[in-house]
Amino acid sequence: MLSYFALITLVKLSGLLIPFIWYLVVSTRRWRLWGITAVIVLFIVSYVNTYFNLPDLAYPSLIDGWLMWFIGGLIFVAVLRRFVFTHGVVNEGAPSSKDSWLTKLLRQFGITAGWLTKMIGAGVAALVVFFIVGSISSVITQMNPQPSVSSIKTDINNTTDTAPMPVIKDNAEKPVVNAPQTVSTDMNNSLNSFKNSNVYDLNSMRVQMYKGKMVYVAPVAFTGGFWRYLHYQKVPGYFMTNATDKNADPQFVSKPMRYTPSAYFNRDADRRISAHSLGYTMVGNTSQLEVDNNGTPYYVRTLAKPLSYFNRNYDYRHYKVAVLNTVTGKVKVYSPNNVPKFVDVAVSPDLVAKEITMFGKYRHGFWNATSFGGHSDVMKPTEAGTEGGSKLTPYAYKGRIYYFSGMTSINNHQSSVLGYTFVDARTNVMHYYKEHGNVMTPERAISYSQQDINPQDYKGTQPLLYRIAGKPTWVVSMLDRDNNSFMKFVYLKADGNNQSGTYAVGDDANSTLALFEQRTGIKSTAATPKVTGKTISGTVERVVKPDDKQILFILKGDSHVYRMDTTSKSFQPIFQFIQAGDKVSFRATATTKTQLATANVGLDTFRNGSLGK
């Protein structure tokens, strides 16, 4: 890897080759020695900078560096040849009839232009040239976004009927409850799960699918600097948390990793990936961890490619995905169609955020988005997300991770959604669905949840759009402001404008769904589960009635929690008088996996001595 960075340094300094050869031809022996020494020192300094700072290795940046050294080198040698080297003798800069017009002009103002002054002037002129070239590139990049927008793999739909909105209709469909803030707090509280935990910290989290479930994965990282890294050499593993279970505890997975972003020298994950990124830009602040179905951790990073030297917008079709094995340090770079199956997020949320911003603003061209144009269909992403600069929120749909964002008007006075973008995080295909109804933005949904619906002053986060009974519904997670703990769900009809009967607040997904259906008068078409399992008999120990939809109870000597659905057709009015001491017999499916398992209950017999039966 050291030789690779030496090669990159030579590429960056190759612009000096022709000026240096010219320098060797025109200089004296003594000056040649100084020149060779200067080039060696320059190579060492540039090598150290390239190795440690990992500069952008996309071709436009490399060409910029080449031109800088080429033009600067030519000017430097030209000045030396004109004012220092004359047949091997140093020219003292005496006045001559062959002086340039600039020299004569400066002399009229009493300024004597020696060789050093002219060298500085030439350097300033070179900077002006670089500024002009950079300005041309900046203008072209800004005013010609169409090739970049055209490179986006898009699927545009005029209706939301086929949008990949998860459908909440029964107990099997769970909205994402754990926000990144909650998960991060819980993981930090669990850092004592392994030996010497005081010398480690958490790195950035990534959402992914693991064995069919949406999870958050966060690697452990070195803290305390270089000397602590030298002592331990590797991190012990990573944390994983279920994204849809509010009672989920972070699980520490012991998988020692030597190659991580918090390591140093050749074990730095970003440095190893940079060594395979020639011609591409590493997107994002750092590499992100993903695990395969065996739990083996890998670091993944998106490598983006600018369109050309002058148009530096990204080519969203021809990117690469670098995957680093954290144990062996081996890096493989894949094209979009060959990414390993376990990689759920092949495109960085930072790249997706740029992509949807470009699509919303420039899909009808540059001039349409300016004050001179008609602003036809000009949109911007909403900013209530958890990733990509608050523009994106990830969630799962049919086993895939999508980055979701609502698209709204650039007019800040409007607060309705014009459409939705769903970007497949694995393939980078952007699906756009136009909204024809009156749907509030996620920012507005959070505002309603925090100001009008939420008397406890919780903070709303991670608004996601789900479909309930065919209607788009915002689901907002409410967190405690002090410790980021999940507190409540808020379900809001997307077109409800916070009117009475258009929202529901609850402690869990099921009870909130039931209350939402009751208040809005809609049904999720959920079928009443058929009661199966063995016959269970016993004496009631405790009874709890959390709402008018269910009755919970436990039996003496049985730690399971049993549930009666009061909305079921088989529920009889007499059942609601169940109390401690009653003897009951019913059929239910109970589990032995957890002491807090809840089963749906249908009573076959009901023996209650206090009722005289």
Side-chain angles (χ1 to χ4, degrees):
M1 202 167 85
L2 293 175
S3 59
Y4 171 84
F5 282 102
L7 176 62
I8 291 298
T9 304
L10 288 174
V11 171
K12 291 173 60 179
L13 296 178
S14 62
L16 279 177
L17 181 60
I18 295 177
F20 185 63
I21 293 174
W22 187 23
Y23 173 86
L24 294 177
V25 171
V26 301
S27 63
T28 63
R29 182 177 180 180
R30 179 187 175 189
W31 280 83
R32 289 185 192 125
L33 180 61
W34 281 107
I36 293 172
T37 302
V39 168
I40 293 174
V41 171
L42 182 63
F43 174 83
I44 294 173
V45 172
S46 181
Y47 178 86
V48 171
N49 175 69
T50 302
Y51 183 81
F52 286 102
N53 293 331
L54 304 179
D56 186 8
L57 297 182
Y59 288 122
S61 296
L62 293 177
I63 293 173
D64 280 343
W66 190 93
L67 286 175
M68 181 187 72
W69 291 116
F70 178 72
I71 297 175
L74 287 179
I75 292 175
F76 181 81
V77 177
V79 171
L80 288 179
R81 181 177 180 277
R82 174 67 177 82
F83 298 104
V84 179
F85 309 130
T86 304
H87 303 295
V89 180
V90 175
N91 188 331
E92 299 297 336
S96 168
S97 60
K98 296 182 179 180
D99 284 342
S100 67
W101 64 270
L102 179 60
T103 302
K104 295 177 181 179
L105 178 63
L106 293 175
R107 192 172 289 126
Q108 289 180 3
F109 290 95
I111 301 175
T112 302
W115 68 271
L116 182 59
T117 304
K118 293 183 178 180
M119 183 177 291
I120 294 174
V124 172
L127 291 177
V128 171
V129 172
F130 293 139
F131 176 78
I132 293 174
V133 173
S135 298
I136 293 173
S137 174
S138 178
V139 169
I140 293 176
T141 300
Q142 180 67 31
M143 297 186 64
N144 189 27
Q146 200 60 40
S148 181
V149 175
S150 299
S151 72
I152 301 173
K153 294 180 285 187
T154 55
D155 169 37
I156 300 178
N157 302 268
N158 196 42
T159 176
T160 63
D161 293 344
T162 58
M165 296 181 193
V167 178
I168 300 179
K169 61 182 179 180
D170 53 40
N171 294 342
E173 300 290 343
K174 301 285 188 182
V176 177
V177 56
N178 290 322
Q181 305 97 306
T182 304
V183 175
S184 179
T185 300
D186 291 345
M187 287 182 176
N188 276 295
N189 291 336
S190 302
L191 276 176
N192 61 349
S193 303
F194 50 89
K195 185 179 179 181
N196 297 320
S197 60
N198 59 302
V199 302
Y200 299 102
D201 202 348
L202 287 178
N203 207 331
S204 54
M205 289 188 303
R206 166 160 284 189
V207 66
Q208 70 168 97
M209 300 299 296
Y210 180 71
K211 295 184 178 180
K213 296 181 179 179
M214 184 176 176
V215 298
Y216 288 101
V217 176
V220 173
F222 291 107
T223 183
F226 175 70
W227 299 109
R228 188 161 290 172
Y229 161 75
L230 285 182
H231 184 78
Y232 291 96
Q233 294 289 310
K234 59 185 178 181
V235 298
Y238 58 87
F239 281 95
M240 181 181 293
T241 302
N242 190 302
T244 59
D245 183 0
K246 71 172 184 176
N247 296 316
D249 292 323
Q251 300 297 316
F252 177 72
V253 182
S254 179
K255 290 283 185 178
M257 297 180 285
R258 292 186 178 274
Y259 299 88
T260 69
S262 63
Y264 286 82
F265 300 117
N266 288 350
R267 290 184 178 175
D268 184 324
D270 292 325
R271 182 167 293 122
R272 296 192 74 84
I273 290 176
S274 176
H276 294 77
S277 66
L278 183 62
Y280 290 82
T281 298
M282 296 193 299
V283 181
N285 295 326
T286 187
S287 306
Q288 299 289 324
L289 191 75
E290 287 210 31
V291 301
D292 62 17
N293 283 334
N294 296 320
T296 304
Y298 296 83
Y299 273 101
V300 180
R301 196 159 190 183
T302 308
L303 307 178
K305 181 179 181 181
L307 289 166
S308 66
Y309 176 73
F310 285 105
N311 191 339
R312 302 193 181 187
N313 291 305
Y314 286 142
D315 182 343
Y316 293 104
R317 189 177 297 271
H318 300 101
Y319 60 92
K320 299 288 186 181
V321 181
V323 180
L324 164 71
N325 187 306
T326 62
V327 178
T328 66
K330 187 175 182 179
V331 178
K332 292 185 178 181
V333 179
Y334 299 93
S335 61
N337 295 329
N338 298 320
V339 177
K341 291 183 178 180
F342 73 85
V343 177
D344 295 297
V345 182
V347 284
S348 164
D350 300 275
L351 185 73
V352 174
K354 289 179 179 291
E355 187 174 23
I356 63 173
T357 299
M358 293 283 288
F359 170 81
K361 189 173 183 180
Y362 295 122
R363 62 193 177 110
H364 292 313
F366 170 78
W367 291 110
N368 178 67
T370 68
S371 57
F372 302 102
H375 277 203
S376 175
D377 293 328
V378 177
M379 305 174 293
K380 65 179 180 180
T382 54
E383 297 188 2
T386 59
E387 297 190 37
S390 300
K391 293 181 174 65
L392 308 171
T393 302
Y395 65 88
Y397 181 77
K398 294 185 177 180
R400 302 294 285 267
I401 296 294
Y402 286 85
Y403 279 114
F404 163 79
S405 180
M407 304 298 289
T408 187
S409 171
I410 59 172
N411 186 342
N412 293 328
H413 297 291
Q414 296 185 19
S415 58
S416 59
V417 170
L418 301 177
Y420 315 100
T421 55
F422 295 83
V423 179
D424 190 319
R426 177 176 169 83
T427 65
N428 199 33
V429 175
M430 187 184 72
H431 305 271
Y432 175 71
Y433 300 88
K434 188 173 183 179
E435 176 59 69
H436 297 280
N438 177 25
V439 174
M440 70 178 78
T441 61
E443 294 96 327
R444 194 174 170 194
I446 288 179
S447 177
Y448 283 154
S449 300
Q450 293 183 161
Q451 297 177 16
D452 300 336
I453 300 174
N454 167 34
Q456 293 88 355
D457 194 33
Y458 300 142
K459 62 180 179 181
T461 187
Q462 197 169 253
L464 282 171
L465 200 61
Y466 291 85
R467 206 187 296 275
I468 299 179
K471 302 294 184 180
T473 304
W474 287 113
V475 176
V476 181
S477 297
M478 308 303 294
L479 309 182
D480 180 84
R481 290 186 181 272
D482 295 327
N483 55 27
N484 292 319
S485 298
F486 173 84
M487 304 304 294
K488 298 282 185 180
F489 270 126
V490 176
Y491 286 22
L492 304 96
K493 286 183 67 175
D495 60 352
N497 293 321
N498 196 31
Q499 297 173 358
S500 178
T502 63
Y503 64 85
V505 182
D507 297 325
D508 58 74
N510 294 336
S511 62
T512 312
L513 174 61
L515 181 58
F516 182 74
E517 291 176 342
Q518 180 184 16
R519 297 195 66 180
T520 59
I522 63 175
K523 291 292 182 181
S524 63
T525 67
T528 301
K530 183 179 179 180
V531 178
T532 59
K534 63 181 181 179
T535 299
I536 299 173
S537 301
T539 302
V540 175
E541 176 78 15
R542 294 283 190 275
V543 179
V544 176
K545 300 179 181 180
D547 53 52
D548 58 355
K549 298 289 185 180
Q550 59 186 337
I551 299 173
L552 307 180
F553 65 90
I554 58 175
L555 304 178
K556 289 184 178 180
D558 187 347
S559 58
H560 291 99
V561 177
Y562 298 104
R563 172 179 180 269
M564 284 192 290
D565 183 1
T566 61
T567 64
S568 172
K569 292 181 179 179
S570 61
F571 183 81
Q572 300 178 27
I574 191 66
F575 292 169
Q576 63 186 316
F577 295 102
I578 188 172
Q579 60 182 338
D582 288 348
K583 294 182 178 181
V584 294
S585 177
F586 54 87
R587 294 183 64 82
T589 302
T591 176
T592 59
K593 292 182 179 180
T594 170
Q595 294 295 308
L596 298 176
T598 300
N600 287 320
V601 174
L603 291 175
D604 291 333
T605 61
F606 186 84
R607 301 183 181 91
N608 187 332
S610 64
L611 292 179
K613 294 193 68 176

